Amino acid sequence: MTEQLDHKTFDLVAVLAGRDYPTIDVPLYFNEKLGFEIYQLEKQRNRTFDEGEARKLDEQFDVLAKRAESEKYTALLKAIPEQVRRDIYSKVNEEFPTKKDLLGREEQNPEADTSFTKRLWAVYIQKITAPDGSTSSVDETAVEALYANAPTTVHEALNSGISELQTGARAGFESAAKEVNFLSDASPEG
């Protein structure tokens, strides 16, 4: 006896068109001098065994930490469709073709890397919020200024945030899949 299967359908294009993308807030600190002062103070604190001196250093640290918090900017990053990332990659490769050395290895191209980073920042960064709550949109001029003038820590924070958006959803689904006991339910295929 053959069972008649009831095939249900759905509109895959509509599912993909209605997707939402995750966002992440990334703290940005532009005052390198302050960051270095905090670092030096923390190093000094770790080497101090005198309780009185340690207390003074802790108090100084708290003051600097509050100052740092008052100078914290926040970048709102939003994930992008994979096709947008691929288009950026293709345009950069078109503008900066890959060159190979005598052994056939691809040569590093700093201009291509710079262009790729700036273009990614332009599509991922939605806005930057100042400590007072005011916001700045991020256009090509702002991206150029960030890339040219922001400290390395800002570059690292933005790139880490983008990386987290790229891998976070996949990691979340992988974690969820581990929780499913695939052997506990009978297969619908029999």
Side-chain angles (χ1 to χ4, degrees):
M1 177 156 88
T2 309
E3 291 183 26
Q4 187 68 17
L5 295 177
D6 180 19
H7 292 287
K8 295 181 181 179
T9 63
F10 69 97
D11 184 354
L12 180 60
V13 174
V15 169
L16 295 173
R19 287 181 55 213
D20 194 13
Y21 295 93
T23 60
I24 187 172
D25 285 327
V26 176
L28 305 176
Y29 298 94
F30 296 107
N31 188 340
E32 283 182 290
K33 184 177 177 189
L34 177 59
F36 192 74
E37 286 177 43
I38 292 170
Y39 166 75
Q40 292 290 88
L41 192 62
E42 191 173 33
K43 263 182 30 178
Q44 189 177 357
R45 171 62 175 93
N46 290 336
R47 289 182 289 200
T48 301
F49 296 104
D50 178 84
E51 285 188 38
E53 180 68 20
R55 213 175 354 268
K56 282 185 207 174
L57 292 171
D58 287 342
E59 289 170 7
Q60 291 174 2
F61 182 87
D62 290 343
V63 168
L64 291 179
K66 285 178 185 172
R67 186 169 151 212
E69 186 63 27
S70 74
E71 294 186 25
K72 178 177 82 174
Y73 290 74
T74 304
L76 174 66
L77 305 181
K78 184 175 183 179
I80 60 172
E82 178 60 18
Q83 188 59 50
V84 172
R85 192 196 62 75
R86 286 184 191 146
D87 289 346
I88 290 170
Y89 184 77
S90 293
K91 288 176 185 172
V92 169
N93 278 338
E94 192 176 291
E95 291 176 28
F96 304 96
T98 304
K99 295 178 184 174
K100 298 190 181 213
D101 65 13
L102 295 173
L103 299 175
R105 297 176 298 203
E106 288 186 9
E107 293 180 358
Q108 293 290 334
N109 187 336
E111 290 175 329
D113 291 343
T114 297
S115 179
F116 186 71
T117 299
K118 288 178 186 177
R119 290 174 190 208
L120 278 183
W121 287 7
V123 294
Y124 272 96
I125 303 170
Q126 302 298 297
K127 67 179 179 177
I128 296 179
T129 305
D132 67 3
S134 59
T135 61
S136 172
S137 59
V138 180
D139 58 11
E140 190 176 321
T141 304
V143 168
E144 287 290 335
L146 272 172
Y147 195 85
N149 301 316
T152 302
T153 55
V154 170
H155 285 243
E156 291 170 355
L158 291 171
N159 292 332
S160 292
I162 289 170
S163 179
E164 188 172 346
L165 285 171
Q166 291 173 336
T167 60
R170 182 184 73 230
F173 286 123
E174 287 172 355
S175 294
K178 290 177 188 174
E179 296 300 315
V180 176
N181 185 348
F182 291 105
L183 300 177
S184 65
D185 297 324
S187 171
E189 296 169 1

